[in-house]
Amino acid sequence: MTTNSSAGEMSLPLSGASAKAGSWLVRILFVGCIFLSAFLLFLVQPIIAKQIMPWFGGSSAVWTTALMFFQLVLLAGYVYTDLATRWLRPGVHAAVHVGLLVLALATLPIVPAETFRPDAQKSPIGQVLLLLLMTVGLPYFCLSTTSPLLQAWYTRLFPGRQVYRLFALSNAASLAALLAYPFLIEPVAGIVTQAQVWGGAFVLFAVLCTGCAWASRRAGELAPMAPYEAPAAGEPGHAPARSDYAVWLGLSAMGSAMLLAITHHLTQHIAPIPLLWLLPLSLYLLTFVLCFEGRSWYRRSLVTAPLILLLAGMAWGINVPANEVRVRMAVPLYAVGCFVCCMFFHGELSERKPAPRYLTRFYLCLSLGGAIGGLLVSAGAPTLFDNYYELPLALLATSVVMLWILRRYLTANMAAWPVAALALASCALTGLMGWVFYNQHSLGNVSMQRNFYAASRVVEFGDGNGGSQRVLYNGGIVHGNQMLAPAVSRTPTTYYGRHSGVADAMTFTASTKPGGRRVGVIGLGAGTMAAWGQAGDDFRFYEINPHSHQIAERDFKYLSESPARRQVVIGDARLMMAEELAGGRANGFDVLVVDAFSGDSIPVHLLTREALAVYKKHLAPGGIIAFHVSNLFLDLAPVVGLLAEDAGLKAVRIRSRDEDPEEYSSAWVLVTDNQAFLDHPATLEHGSPIKPRAGATLWTDDRNNLYEVVR
């Protein structure tokens, strides 16, 4: 092999058309490997998250913790790439990298081992991180190194080429993976099949990457690594200063923090459905594609005005009371806001990108900044804050960064003073709205607590009848309400009132089990179901969030005032019930209430064929399972109907009727083989058949899709 000094490209042993064809084949090899690696890099995230979410209660915190893990491993991959390209000879580096690929192949498939099932007594964040590390850590590490590493090798092979377009290509592939998963992959393949196919694709990636390593090794025999040499005379590019590194870190951290803060806000306060986890991340990746594609899509002058207005709009939006109209307005507002904010951060990063010889340092700073932003929101915020304050703080920080970046432009152009005034006003409004949000969520609270699972607060105010009441909020959703006057404190309220579907089940069993009932409740909330307890009854609550137990005992009286015997089991209900069966204990519930909300949606793993099989084994003969399916965004009743039919049971939907002021509109699906209950006059009067939903399929642990039940 020889080096073409004029073109600076690798020459092959052949000449003329054959050498040119060989050069194109090498380029195609690099492009294909980078695209496939980035596609797999982001496809693995929903695949593994969907496998482990049932183990941790279906909380959106599992998704954000997984994002934090992937950002940390991405950082480790970029550190490895930077150090290896600086200190290892090309042949040694190629051998080391191929060795890592072989080790990663030995860890397939990416299916979590049963030994990593969670322990309710340990930190869920630590358990999620350990599980991910042992299951996908090494394959993900290899994938995370690909984009910067192959770009560095590509620079050696083809100096002078638009190498940053490969970075845009990798982000485009990542975006394609995120969009393909809910619409093309999830509907047609079970989770085990997804993991197996992903493993097969990883084998192909390993082969392509080995080919790239071989090409790089052979090129390294002829030319030293270019990125860390001083530029030749007249060649563009200078060594980055310390201030450049600081700006790269800051802008990258702000983009990551804004992504996760908006994701938290969307899924906890506006539309708590997992589909919205992908929307901000997709927009985040799209901004990388547009900013680094090479055609200068970012224009500061075009982004500034929308950024100023959207910051003010999002700051105003965090203080608007939650309702359905807000959903229609807020989802587009925060989606567009996420896009414009990230376009601003990543556009400014693109404006400051260094010469290709420094690209591994640049990518290392981008990855480190992303990890810092992710850690602040995913780990720092639940530890430091008792509510979701990260979005107001992120908006304020963005306003400050915007003013800092625009300061020279605004001071150098006197004609731009209206823009300066708007920017200052937007910054002031953002700070003011953040202060209002803090006051609204802090003043008058009986208590506020936040952990991995939720941010909960208890508020006390008048009930309109001269008395007072306490309300439990989980994010923006009411999870319990109790009137405090002794005469009415044991009145079941909200979704469990005397006109609800669960009331029909409790009233019927009270008449047929005069000696006492056994009642299971999945989801504690404020403990409202205990209001239905009578002397001789035995209530067993399953609750994954230990804070909920503390709140129910400390701030509400439903548990303490109930004449029934009560026991609270901390841990995921399905796992706890399965362990009870394995230990030879079947509880013989006359009524089992499934009401484990995560925001406004029931965790999917509690609505599968396998879950219903566990519930049935815990039922007494003629027992009733009451599923709470009230939801603004998901039509869950057909899902329960299909499960009941598959299990040989009957299902009836009951909506609340003639609501009392303290009751909320609710929808329940009661599942049973108790014909006496189904023929009971109250059931016949209040119940209605469940209409099948077109396209709905039977949910199993291996295959389920929320997209098919979105309203």
Side-chain angles (χ1 to χ4, degrees), residues 493-542:
T493 60
T494 61
Y495 317 101
Y496 321 96
R498 302 188 186 283
H499 302 99
S500 64
V502 74
D504 287 347
M506 297 303 294
T507 302
F508 176 83
T509 52
S511 64
T512 58
K513 298 281 185 174
R517 299 164 295 181
R518 296 186 62 83
V519 179
V521 183
I522 298 177
L524 177 62
T528 312
M529 275 302 302
W532 285 100
Q534 300 176 354
D537 289 346
D538 193 336
F539 275 63
R540 187 175 181 85
F541 292 89
Y542 298 89

Side-chain angles (χ1 to χ4, degrees), residues 686-708:
H686 306 147
S688 62
I690 299 172
K691 290 184 178 180
R693 185 181 177 94
T697 57
L698 180 70
W699 283 9
T700 67
D701 286 348
D702 183 58
R703 191 166 181 176
N704 50 76
N705 185 4
L706 283 170
Y707 180 72
E708 67 187 21

Side-chain angles (χ1 to χ4, degrees), residues 398-625:
T398 300
S399 299
V400 173
V401 171
M402 174 187 67
L403 289 176
W404 179 78
I405 289 179
L406 296 179
R407 69 194 189 287
R408 293 180 181 175
Y409 167 74
L410 295 176
T411 54
N413 298 272
M414 297 306 296
W417 66 266
V419 177
L422 281 175
L424 287 169
S426 176
C427 185
L429 179 61
T430 301
L432 176 62
M433 291 295 99
W435 178 251
V436 170
F437 179 85
Y438 173 79
N439 282 314
Q440 283 184 345
H441 292 78
S442 300
L443 300 179
N445 291 335
V446 174
S447 67
M448 291 178 62
Q449 291 178 263
R450 181 177 178 182
N451 62 4
F452 176 81
Y453 298 103
S456 304
R457 66 189 177 102
V458 178
V459 182
E460 184 173 326
F461 49 84
D463 63 5
N465 297 314
S468 58
Q469 61 180 332
R470 286 185 175 179
V471 180
L472 170 62
Y473 291 94
N474 183 336
I477 307 298
V478 174
H479 275 216
N481 177 18
Q482 184 174 30
M483 297 176 288
L484 299 183
V488 291
S489 63
R490 286 190 55 205
T491 302
T493 60
T494 61
Y495 317 101
Y496 321 96
R498 302 188 186 283
H499 302 99
S500 64
V502 74
D504 287 347
M506 297 303 294
T507 302
F508 176 83
T509 52
S511 64
T512 58
K513 298 281 185 174
R517 299 164 295 181
R518 296 186 62 83
V519 179
V521 183
I522 298 177
L524 177 62
T528 312
M529 275 302 302
W532 285 100
Q534 300 176 354
D537 289 346
D538 193 336
F539 275 63
R540 187 175 181 85
F541 292 89
Y542 298 89
E543 175 57 54
I544 195 171
N545 187 353
H547 281 185
S548 295
H549 188 200
Q550 297 171 14
I551 291 169
E553 294 281 9
R554 182 190 63 217
D555 299 328
F556 295 88
K557 301 178 182 179
Y558 285 122
L559 292 178
S560 61
E561 292 184 347
S562 175
R565 294 183 296 273
R566 305 163 308 281
Q567 184 177 9
V568 178
V569 179
I570 300 299
D572 178 78
R574 182 170 159 188
L575 296 180
M576 296 298 102
M577 295 173 75
E579 288 181 8
E580 290 169 352
L581 291 174
R585 172 174 179 169
N587 286 295
F589 294 131
D590 299 297
V591 178
L592 175 61
V593 179
V594 182
D595 185 23
F597 280 84
S598 175
D600 192 39
S601 59
I602 295 176
V604 169
H605 72 294
L606 299 179
L607 282 174
T608 65
R609 168 192 279 169
E610 294 81 359
L612 185 56
V614 172
Y615 304 155
K616 283 183 65 177
K617 292 177 182 177
H618 278 283
L619 282 183
I624 303 168
I625 307 175

Side-chain angles (χ1 to χ4, degrees), residues 15 32 81 225 561 576:
S15 60
T81 300
M225 186 62 191
E561 292 184 347
M576 296 298 102

Side-chain angles (χ1 to χ4, degrees), residues 26-27 30-31 34 149-159 161-163 166:
V26 172
R27 292 179 192 171
F30 272 74
V31 169
I34 288 176
L149 180 59
L150 266 64
Q151 287 179 63
W153 290 348
Y154 190 88
T155 300
R156 178 193 294 133
L157 290 165
F158 308 107
R161 293 284 175 180
Q162 281 264 21
V163 68
L166 295 178

Side-chain angles (χ1 to χ4, degrees), residues 15-372:
S15 60
S18 297
K20 187 174 182 181
S23 176
W24 272 105
L25 287 175
V26 172
R27 292 179 192 171
I28 291 173
L29 175 65
F30 272 74
V31 169
C33 187
I34 288 176
F35 186 92
L36 179 59
S37 70
F39 190 87
L40 294 177
L41 189 77
F42 272 76
L43 188 61
V44 72
Q45 298 187 23
I47 290 176
I48 193 67
K50 188 167 182 178
Q51 291 183 70
I52 69 173
M53 282 189 68
W55 294 7
F56 296 91
S59 168
S60 63
V62 178
W63 175 253
T64 52
T65 302
L67 284 181
M68 179 180 69
F69 168 82
F70 292 128
Q71 286 175 323
L72 291 173
V73 177
L74 191 70
L75 172 61
Y78 281 28
V79 169
Y80 156 81
T81 300
D82 183 62
L83 294 178
T85 53
R86 294 173 65 181
W87 299 108
L88 295 181
R89 295 179 61 84
V92 175
H93 189 188
V96 168
H97 200 70
V98 172
L100 287 174
L101 290 171
V102 172
L103 290 176
L105 291 172
T107 67
L108 299 177
I110 52 169
V111 178
E114 291 293 320
T115 54
F116 293 111
R117 285 191 176 272
D119 182 344
Q121 306 304 317
K122 297 180 181 179
S123 165
I125 291 180
Q127 292 182 86
V128 170
L129 294 178
L130 177 62
L131 186 157
L132 292 172
L133 178 64
M134 300 305 294
T135 306
V136 300
L138 194 52
Y140 194 87
F141 176 82
C142 291
L143 291 170
S144 70
T145 66
T146 303
S147 180
L149 180 59
L150 266 64
Q151 287 179 63
W153 290 348
Y154 190 88
T155 300
R156 178 193 294 133
L157 290 165
F158 308 107
R161 293 284 175 180
Q162 281 264 21
V163 68
Y164 284 108
R165 283 191 170 181
L166 295 178
F167 182 61
L169 173 69
S170 69
N171 283 281
S174 300
L175 177 60
L178 286 179
L179 296 179
Y181 185 77
F183 304 112
L184 299 178
I185 297 173
E186 190 179 25
V188 300
I191 194 64
V192 174
T193 302
Q194 293 172 28
Q196 292 171 341
V197 172
W198 189 94
F202 186 87
V203 173
L204 175 60
F205 154 75
V207 172
L208 294 178
C209 195
T210 300
C212 293
W214 176 258
S216 173
R217 186 191 68 82
R218 297 198 65 188
E221 295 172 356
L222 301 172
M225 186 62 191
Y228 293 96
E229 294 181 346
E235 188 179 357
H238 63 276
R242 291 183 179 178
S243 59
D244 293 319
Y245 291 119
V247 171
W248 295 344
L249 281 172
L251 290 173
S252 179
M254 284 302 306
S256 175
M258 182 61 74
L259 162 68
L260 292 179
I262 287 180
T263 301
H264 267 164
H265 188 70
L266 282 174
T267 56
Q268 291 295 331
H269 293 276
I270 296 175
I273 56 175
L275 290 173
L276 284 181
W277 303 345
L278 299 180
L279 177 60
L281 183 56
S282 299
L283 295 172
Y284 174 84
L285 291 173
L286 179 60
T287 61
F288 270 121
V289 175
L290 295 176
C291 293
F292 286 87
E293 191 272 337
R295 302 181 187 179
S296 301
W297 290 97
Y298 174 72
R299 293 286 189 277
R300 184 182 297 153
S301 58
L302 297 179
V303 170
T304 299
L307 179 64
I308 291 171
L309 296 176
L310 284 165
L311 286 173
M314 288 189 289
W316 167 82
I318 61 177
N319 293 296
V320 177
N323 53 54
E324 190 173 359
V325 175
R326 183 191 178 199
V327 172
R328 297 169 184 162
M329 297 174 59
V331 171
L333 170 65
Y334 287 100
V336 175
C338 180
F339 174 80
V340 173
C341 288
C342 291
M343 193 74 183
F344 174 70
F345 295 130
H346 299 156
E348 293 297 327
L349 278 171
S350 178
E351 294 285 312
R352 293 164 170 78
K353 63 181 181 287
R357 67 177 52 81
Y358 306 108
L359 65 83
T360 58
R361 296 183 187 180
F362 179 62
Y363 290 147
L364 176 58
C365 286
L366 262 62
S367 179
L368 178 58
I372 291 172

